[in-house]
Amino acid sequence: CYNKDTKKFTCNETSFSRLAGFEFNLKSPLINNLWVTPQVILSGNSLTLSLPAFEVPVELKFPNNANTCELTVFLSLYVQDQEFHDPPAYQSIEINNDQKNVPAQEFIFEVPDGCLCIVGIKLNYFWRSQNIKTVINQKNFNPAGICAAIVTP
């Protein structure tokens, strides 16, 4: 994407598509815990991550010592020519291990023009007892990955 003569980046929508599927923790890949495929669509300045309806525990796996999962979708924005990096935006839902079905979900973000948008999912697991949540995630168990990397026109 980098042109040495002009010292500028020339990117199209799919220039960073190889980032999709990147796992942040190989000891606990996201794909081992969340068995549904998210779909990311860019329409104008609206970026949508859609998750189909899924079943617990068939398509969302819980570790034995967890009874709650916070599924978080994050969006990081980068504008390379301006050295712009916005703090990540987050949206999340909470899922209990006694739920049988989780309805389809849409996470919608507004994105600027000419921007690299990196979209990912992180699963935070907890043991909840009497409204107190104890974190289960640790260094060796922290499922998270990148779902899409799209450059807006």
Side-chain angles (χ1 to χ4, degrees):
C1 298
Y2 185 69
N3 183 326
K4 291 180 184 178
D5 297 333
T6 63
K7 297 183 180 175
K8 298 231 180 227
F9 289 93
T10 307
C11 303
N12 63 35
E13 187 174 316
T14 61
S15 293
F16 294 89
S17 62
R18 291 185 66 185
L19 289 174
F22 176 82
E23 296 281 353
F24 285 104
N25 190 338
L26 293 177
K27 293 184 179 180
S28 59
L30 178 65
I31 197 168
N32 286 356
N33 294 84
L34 183 64
W35 289 30
V36 294
T37 303
Q39 183 177 21
V40 178
I41 297 172
L42 176 66
S43 177
N45 290 93
S46 183
L47 189 141
T48 304
L49 181 137
S50 300
L51 280 176
F54 58 92
E55 297 178 20
V56 178
V58 177
E59 294 163 305
L60 176 64
K61 305 296 182 187
F62 275 78
N64 291 336
N65 52 348
N67 61 7
T68 302
C69 176
E70 185 177 84
L71 184 150
T72 302
V73 174
F74 61 88
L75 169 69
S76 293
L77 303 174
Y78 303 90
V79 178
Q80 294 181 10
D81 290 342
Q82 300 170 7
E83 296 183 13
F84 170 79
H85 173 237
D86 209 13
Y90 299 93
Q91 294 181 29
S92 61
I93 59 170
E94 193 168 283
I95 303 163
N96 295 315
N97 68 345
D98 59 357
Q99 281 182 251
K100 297 291 180 215
N101 297 302
V102 176
Q105 303 287 321
E106 280 195 340
F107 302 89
I108 302 170
F109 299 92
E110 290 301 313
V111 295
D113 293 334
C115 185
L116 170 60
C117 307
I118 298 178
V119 185
I121 294 178
K122 176 176 177 31
L123 301 177
N124 288 316
Y125 290 97
F126 303 92
W127 175 258
R128 176 182 288 219
S129 177
Q130 299 177 359
N131 281 338
I132 297 173
K133 291 188 338 186
T134 304
V135 177
I136 302 299
N137 291 46
Q138 54 184 306
K139 184 178 179 179
N140 291 332
F141 179 75
N142 198 20
I146 294 175
C147 302
I150 298 172
V151 177
T152 59

